[in-house]
Amino acid sequence: LAGILAVGFFCCLGLAVSLKDRFLVPWLGAVAIGLATVLTQSKGGLLVLGAASLIFLVFVLAWGRDRAKTGFLRGLSAIVVVAVLVGAMQARQSAPSEGGAPSTAPLGRVVAAQETQAQSFTFRKLLYQTAIDLTQKHPMGTGPGTFQYYSARPGRVTSTVYTHNTTLQLASESSWLAAAAFLGFVLVWLAQVFRGARSTEGEVGLLRAGVATAVLAAGAHSLIESSFSYYGLGLVVFALAGIALLLSADAVAPEQTPKEVRIPLAAFCVLISFAFVAFLAGEYGKARLAYALISRDPAAAKLAAEAGQRFSGGDGQFWFLRARVAANPEEALADVQRAAQLNPQPRILRMLGRMFVEQGKPGNASAIYREALDCDPNNLPALRALIDLEADQGREEEARALAQRTVDVEKSTYYTVRSIAELVPTETYYARLVLARLGKREDRPPLLREALQGYERYMAITVPQILRFAEAGIDGYAGESLQDALDKVEEAREAAILLGESDETESRRYLDSLASVAESLEEARAGLQ
């Protein structure tokens, strides 16, 4: 959001300083967009906006007239004053809460920059290292749009859709050659836009200043986000890049292009438009199905599933959603198998494994869970599912080995630097519970205490987020539902009961605390019903 807002901000400024009249509307637009950027709490977005504003000022002073210079400086001053006042007011409300939990005030994330650094900067650094790892293992790239399927394989981070850097996104998915071609395009574009720039002083130069700064701001933002992987932002930026070229000193007039060239180019643009309409239809159908499922409207979900198949038949995510409205278990299994073939990501593979378990095919389920671990060696839900499967089959040694492997994940950055800091994974605590169940009685207390301490962190950090979403009528936070939280309370209760065999006082303390959490969750669930 901060990236597309920066583009709109400088387009508004370019119009405001170049128009002789009716310039108030774009000024107001710039102010509104600037305040919206502040409220995104994107530290990188705010930094890009500030740096690009200085670049725009330089362009205006170099290419503008006195009227434009004066108007720009006055307008920029007004924007800065308003932004500072709003920021100061919100910062006063952004102090951390008494318990040290992150503030939910509008600018809490910006003010608490130190607290969010591990989640933001460190996580990005690990993503960059992951992208470089993939370029070394796959010199020709993993394929456009496939970073999300390979991102967890090096074991540095959880599965993530984007690298948060456009150049590294291209390098990892389409080779360094594609990244070099993109950078070459940027250099050629810069040379063409700024060639003879001073010869077009005045309104055209001022408008070019706004458009060029918008493109440069998006380019700067692409260093910290995979900006151009988003269709809307990418299309807008490349369209503006073309407009900037048409505003350059030696630009060609489109109407002077020979007819034999204009017709093929127009036809190509029409074909591209149809392709995007088809893509949009597929995305719309998938979103419609997802919304119907979230709204618990079976009839609408079934209609959306039937209608969406025409344009979304090649999308694994569509078949994954469609399985939830299947007429029978066999049809659901076929849908999930097709989803896994098209989109072999751990979440889909885990569902397929669960379906095989329900159908009494543990061998197939084990193979599928291990396939998920090939995609993501540290995938905690897949490890947990495999632990339960091996234990149910009586293979205790294998279950113990998998449980220890799960606990060892805590030593990696995969566990310590998470994309969502408030979502505390509990699989490693459950693994300790399994080790305590299967181990010797005298070895249980340390494992159980570590497990209960971990569950306490989950109750203190994640459960409040789930309850806050429940108050807004939403069952779940980042995929963690009220029922999931209640299940984890039960796991923690089992650990506390086992601990009571050696320390009844400590066990009672944990049980009392868990009872209070369970009561809050039950009340929230009753409120949703």
Side-chain angles (χ1 to χ4, degrees):
L1 178 58
I4 193 69
L5 286 174
V7 171
F9 180 79
F10 291 106
C11 286
C12 283
L13 287 185
L15 287 170
V17 298
S18 62
L19 292 174
K20 292 182 178 179
D21 50 14
R22 297 189 301 277
F23 54 83
L24 183 60
V25 172
W27 271 132
L28 292 175
V31 172
I33 293 172
L35 296 182
T37 305
V38 171
L39 294 177
T40 65
Q41 302 195 61
S42 169
K43 297 186 290 292
L46 291 170
L47 182 63
V48 166
L49 202 65
S53 294
L54 295 176
I55 293 173
F56 184 54
L57 176 60
V58 171
F59 288 164
V60 167
L61 294 176
W63 303 335
R65 297 172 180 172
D66 292 340
R67 176 188 63 80
K69 295 176 187 177
T70 304
F72 170 71
L73 292 173
R74 288 176 179 172
L76 182 61
S77 300
I79 293 170
V80 170
V81 168
V82 172
V84 168
L85 287 175
V86 171
M89 287 188 293
Q90 298 297 340
R92 293 185 61 185
Q93 304 176 36
S94 302
S97 61
E98 292 181 5
S103 169
T104 57
L107 286 183
R109 189 171 181 271
V110 176
V111 174
Q114 291 276 6
E115 297 173 18
T116 59
Q117 184 174 1
Q119 180 192 355
S120 181
F121 174 76
T122 309
F123 191 76
R124 277 177 167 79
K125 180 181 176 183
L126 292 170
L127 280 173
Y128 301 160
Q129 292 172 342
T130 296
I132 293 171
D133 290 342
L134 292 176
T135 60
Q136 293 172 348
K137 190 171 182 179
H138 304 276
M140 298 307 295
T142 58
T146 59
F147 179 79
Q148 58 186 313
Y149 309 129
Y150 290 84
S151 57
R153 294 194 179 190
R156 296 180 186 273
V157 294
T158 54
S159 180
T160 309
V161 177
Y162 300 120
T163 63
H164 290 64
N165 180 289
T166 293
T167 305
L168 288 176
Q169 187 88 26
L170 280 168
S172 60
E173 294 183 347
S174 305
S175 81
W176 283 109
L177 184 62
F182 171 70
L183 293 175
F185 162 79
V186 171
L187 292 174
V188 171
W189 178 83
L190 286 170
Q192 294 296 322
V193 167
F194 295 109
R195 179 187 296 171
R198 290 191 62 83
S199 63
T200 56
E201 289 184 355
E203 295 169 9
V204 173
L206 290 170
L207 187 58
R208 185 177 66 243
V211 174
T213 307
V215 175
L216 291 173
H221 195 258
S222 74
L223 298 175
I224 55 173
E225 295 288 350
S226 297
S227 303
F228 301 153
S229 294
Y230 293 91
Y231 279 97
L233 182 55
L235 284 174
V236 167
V237 170
F238 281 105
L240 288 173
I243 291 172
L245 289 173
L246 293 175
L247 292 169
S248 61
D250 57 349
V252 296
E255 59 272 14
Q256 294 178 358
T257 306
K259 186 175 181 180
E260 56 271 16
V261 176
R262 265 187 288 166
I263 293 177
L265 285 176
F268 177 73
C269 290
V270 170
L271 290 174
I272 290 291
S273 299
F274 278 121
F276 277 113
V277 168
F279 175 81
L280 175 62
E283 289 297 299
Y284 172 72
K286 191 168 61 173
R288 215 176 126 203
L289 174 56
Y291 181 76
L293 291 170
I294 292 170
S295 304
R296 300 177 184 177
D297 187 344
K302 192 167 183 180
L303 285 173
E306 292 172 358
Q309 188 172 339
R310 180 181 303 173
F311 291 102
S312 303
D315 189 333
Q317 187 67 25
F318 169 79
W319 292 100
F320 178 68
L321 294 171
R322 188 179 183 274
R324 295 173 62 181
V325 295
N328 52 65
E330 290 74 22
E331 184 180 325
L333 177 62
D335 286 347
V336 177
Q337 284 179 315
R338 186 164 184 179
Q341 290 173 351
L342 293 168
N343 192 348
Q345 63 181 32
R347 182 173 65 144
I348 295 176
L349 293 170
R350 290 198 309 268
M351 175 179 265
L352 183 57
R354 285 196 300 272
M355 296 178 81
F356 278 132
V357 170
E358 291 168 2
Q359 294 191 2
K361 299 177 180 178
N364 290 1
S366 178
I368 289 296
Y369 287 140
R370 293 181 189 280
E371 184 180 344
L373 291 173
D374 286 339
C375 298
D376 182 356
N378 295 325
N379 190 272
L380 293 172
L383 283 167
R384 171 173 175 154
L386 200 51
I387 289 169
D388 288 340
L389 184 62
E390 297 296 343
D392 291 343
Q393 295 298 307
R395 294 191 284 269
E396 293 188 358
E397 285 301 320
E398 184 65 23
R400 268 198 292 267
L402 286 166
Q404 187 57 55
R405 174 180 169 181
T406 304
V407 172
D408 290 341
V409 173
E410 289 183 346
K411 302 172 185 176
S412 66
T413 55
Y414 183 100
Y415 181 90
T416 57
V417 183
R418 300 187 294 273
S419 57
I420 303 177
E422 294 81 12
L423 186 59
V424 178
T426 60
E427 289 83 3
T428 59
Y429 315 142
Y430 177 76
R432 287 181 172 86
L433 177 57
V434 171
L435 289 171
R437 284 182 198 155
L438 301 178
K440 298 177 182 178
R441 183 181 292 269
E442 58 270 23
D443 295 335
R444 287 180 176 177
L447 290 168
L448 294 171
R449 286 192 181 95
E450 290 175 3
L452 286 165
Q453 289 167 5
Y455 280 114
E456 267 194 327
R457 282 194 293 275
Y458 174 83
M459 306 303 168
I461 297 173
T462 304
V463 167
Q465 301 292 339
I466 297 172
L467 293 174
R468 185 162 63 90
F469 272 63
E471 289 175 3
I474 302 170
D475 183 7
Y477 166 75
E480 196 81 356
S481 68
L482 287 164
Q483 186 58 54
D484 292 332
L486 285 166
D487 291 343
K488 286 163 186 178
V489 169
E490 288 303 314
E491 292 169 12
R493 183 176 284 128
E494 181 187 349
I497 292 171
L498 284 175
L499 182 62
E501 298 174 0
S502 57
D503 191 333
E504 190 171 342
T505 303
E506 191 174 4
S507 171
R508 176 50 52 192
R509 179 178 70 80
Y510 280 117
L511 288 171
D512 290 343
S513 174
L514 291 168
S516 175
V517 173
E519 184 179 357
S520 299
L521 290 168
E522 289 288 4
E523 288 176 0
R525 186 163 67 171
L528 282 177
Q529 293 173 349

